[in-house]
Amino acid sequence: KMDTDLVDDNKEILLDDLVDLNYDKNKLDENEYNEEEEMEEYEYGEEEKLSFCQQLEERSADLKERSKSVFAALGLLLLGFIFAVISIYYMVLNDWARAGSFLFLALLVGLPGGYMSYIVYRIIKQDPDYDLQMIPAYE
C-alpha cells in the first residue's frame, strides 16, 4: 500500500505541475498576443512626415544659439574630406609619405567634425536621445 500511496502522491504532484505549466504557457501566449497587437499599432517613421528641410526650419532658431559650433563642425568635416581626397591623389602617384600624412590629417580633422555633424543631424531630426547641450558652445 505504501508504494501505491507514493505513486498517487507523485501523480498528483505531477498533475499539479502540469496544470501550472499549462497555465504559464497560456499566460505566455496571451502576453505574446498583446505584444503583437501593440507592435501592429506603431508604425515606424510616423514622426518623420516632415522633410529634412522643414525639420531644419523648425530647429533653426535653436541651432542659432550654437551657430559657431555648427559651422565649425561642418567646416572640419569638409576639411577632412578634402584631406582624404588629397591623400588618395598621392596614393595614386605612389607618394606614400605624403599620402600617409594627408590621411592622418583627414582622420585628425574629419572624425571630430563628422561626430559633431552627426549630433547636429540627429538634433534636426528631433531624436530624443540627442540634445542641443551636447554641442559645445564656442561663443
Side-chain angles (χ1 to χ4, degrees), residues 21-132:
L21 287 175
N22 282 334
Y23 174 76
D24 290 342
K25 182 180 180 264
N26 290 337
K27 192 175 182 182
L28 181 65
D29 290 341
E30 289 173 5
N31 287 341
E32 287 177 356
Y33 180 73
N34 290 337
E35 287 176 8
E36 288 175 2
E37 283 181 357
E38 291 175 11
M39 293 290 284
E40 289 174 8
E41 291 175 8
Y42 180 77
E43 291 182 22
Y44 290 99
E46 281 183 6
E47 66 278 351
E48 295 184 12
K49 291 183 180 179
L50 297 176
S51 71
F52 181 76
C53 293
Q54 291 170 335
Q55 290 176 347
L56 180 61
E57 271 183 42
E58 286 181 2
R59 298 298 296 214
S60 65
D62 295 336
L63 290 174
K64 282 183 183 177
E65 296 174 13
R66 310 279 174 136
S67 62
K68 289 182 183 178
S69 300
V70 171
F71 287 123
L74 294 175
L76 287 173
L77 181 64
L78 180 64
L79 199 58
F81 280 130
I82 291 170
F83 284 150
V85 169
I86 292 172
S87 174
I88 292 171
Y89 172 74
Y90 281 121
M91 283 180 195
V92 170
L93 294 178
N94 287 328
D95 190 357
W96 297 104
R98 287 188 183 162
S101 299
F102 276 103
L103 183 62
F104 177 73
L105 284 174
L107 291 174
L108 186 68
V109 172
L111 286 176
Y115 176 70
M116 293 307 298
S117 298
Y118 180 75
I119 290 175
V120 169
Y121 171 76
R122 294 312 306 173
I123 289 171
I124 291 170
K125 292 300 260 181
Q126 299 175 0
D127 190 332
D129 295 334
Y130 292 88
D131 188 36
L132 193 62

